[in-house]
Amino acid sequence: MVKPETHTRSASDNVAHVSILGATGSVGISTLKGIEEHAGRFDVTALTANNNVDLLYEQCLKFRPEVAVVANEKRVDQFSARFSGNGYKPDIFAGSHGLEQAASLDEVDFVMAAIVGAAGLPATLAAARTGKRILLANKEALVMSGSLLMDMASQHAARLLPIDSEHNAVFQCLSGGSEREVERIILTASGGPFLKLPLKEFAGVTPEQACAHPNWEMGRKISVDSATMMNKGLEVIEACMLFGKDPSDIEVVIHPQSIIHSLVAYVDGSMLAHLAYPDMRVPIAHALAWPQRIHSGVDGIDLAKLGPLEFTAPDQNRFPCLRLAYQALEYSGSAAVILNAANEVAVESFLKAEIGFTEIPVVVDAALQHVEHENMQELEMILTKDQQTRLFAKRFIEQTGLRH
Ligand code: NAD
Ligand code: MG
């Protein structure tokens, strides 16, 4: 279980050397902003991107990492050529192996795991294997890994700090009592852009509407997951793994204002909540500085100006993806791998306008019913199940006429 016992920085770790996996994404960019605010405290050792080599190049010029990784091997030459005639050039690595190298460099202390989706799993495991502090945003990696990531982290004394705002909030609230005094964990959910949309209009929702989250600016995949509430489903699984809880110990409550990021209920009837404006710089600053605190660049809440905070139970008919995630937890074994892979394929198809919004849970449900569930202990088995599910989901979309 990830729990906040105290720890003091030693004199020798005054500068933390950071590797940012997924530097060009929403979380990666916010992390670099946080680091920039505290120049001298953090040093950027490695940056990685998939396709956006223009932004990666700009980030390299600004932060001067020793290593840069372009995951998409077809873009490596284009990236490398940008440095010609320049005094500075980082070591450039490519592909999934390059990501693992960036995560496990000897000089790296902290790894920000901010790649989206299953692609981030091998590098996150590499960070765990080499005992890094892992700032975990890449929830899909944890959801897929079963107990592998948690076990590897504990074996190699790698400290996992949650970046997902809800889990970061829970982590902070857990310092209010001991593990056995915790009665349950309450994850808040904004409900996304379609909380109040009439159900009959769901089928016509466009990718642009789904990506227009009311409170958070995020990458497109997590934005769609927020609109279907699969994001909350993945987060329930993430919470079970991070905090060693059963699904019945995790409650989800809709809180459209996204001010309370989650709560912990204790046996004495007390509930501790974490409040902040919805801005990822807050949990990122917390995890970068933990166990100390640093300025995040985000103001504290002006309570008098806040207005009412609302809470309601989620409607499972409106959001079948949330139910499917609880179902995957009941099946256990590879079900979470299947849920995640089918969802990634379905979301990608929806974003390309190949399938409709309401067809996302249809694809995930079919995969959970038809792809064989097995016990998974090794990375190879997990990756094979992930691939098998992706093939199933793509064929299902083609063959059932879901593809428009
Ligand atoms: P994003 O789409 O904005 O960025 C994704 C990053 O991953 C980019 O740097 C991209 O280059 C890289 N990437 C994508 N595919 C890759 C591949 N195949 N190989 C290597 N790199 C690849 O996503 P994001 O919103 O920053 O989210 C990143 C992760 O953080 C996700 O797991 C998401 O669920 C989680 N998260 C994000 C937020 C948020 O506010 N954005 C909040 C909580 C959790
Ligand atoms: Mg979250």
Side-chain angles (χ1 to χ4, degrees), residues 22 24-27 50 71 114-116 119 137-140 164 218-219 280:
T24 54
S26 161
V27 171
N50 192 32
I115 290 174
V116 60
N138 182 197
K139 67 191 89 187
E140 297 91 347
D164 219 343
M218 308 182 286
M280 287 306 289

Side-chain angles (χ1 to χ4, degrees), residues 138-161:
N138 182 197
K139 67 191 89 187
E140 297 91 347
L142 183 59
V143 163
M144 291 172 75
S145 82
S147 54
L148 192 63
L149 179 57
M150 296 303 292
D151 289 350
M152 200 173 278
S154 97
Q155 247 173 48
H156 298 278
R159 161 59 74 175
L160 267 174
L161 291 173

Side-chain angles (χ1 to χ4, degrees), residues 74 120-121 138 175-176 191 239 269 289 368 370 379 398:
K74 291 186 194 133
L121 176 61
N138 182 197
S175 58
L368 278 174
H370 296 293
L379 178 61
E398 299 272 353

Side-chain angles (χ1 to χ4, degrees), residues 48-64:
T48 88
N50 192 32
N51 288 321
N52 193 347
V53 292
D54 292 337
L55 181 55
L56 184 64
Y57 173 70
E58 280 171 32
Q59 291 177 336
C60 283
L61 288 192
K62 187 160 180 184
F63 292 95
R64 306 243 155 185

Side-chain angles (χ1 to χ4, degrees), residues 139 164-167 222 231-232 235:
K139 67 191 89 187
D164 219 343
S165 56
E166 296 77 1
H167 305 73
I222 185 177
N231 183 49
K232 210 50 51 180
E235 289 183 358

Side-chain angles (χ1 to χ4, degrees), residues 248-305:
S248 57
D249 299 328
I250 315 283
E251 184 185 332
V252 172
V253 69
I254 304 272
H255 165 48
Q257 292 77 21
S258 299
I259 290 292
I260 295 188
H261 296 294
S262 278
L263 309 93
V264 174
Y266 287 94
V267 288
D268 61 359
S270 300
M271 263 188 195
L272 299 193
H274 172 269
L275 285 76
Y277 287 125
D279 190 317
M280 287 306 289
R281 287 177 295 166
V282 175
I284 291 169
H286 172 264
L288 279 172
W290 183 85
Q292 300 171 341
R293 291 200 184 252
I294 53 176
H295 286 288
S296 64
V298 180
D299 290 336
I301 292 172
D302 187 339
L303 288 169
K305 286 197 185 143

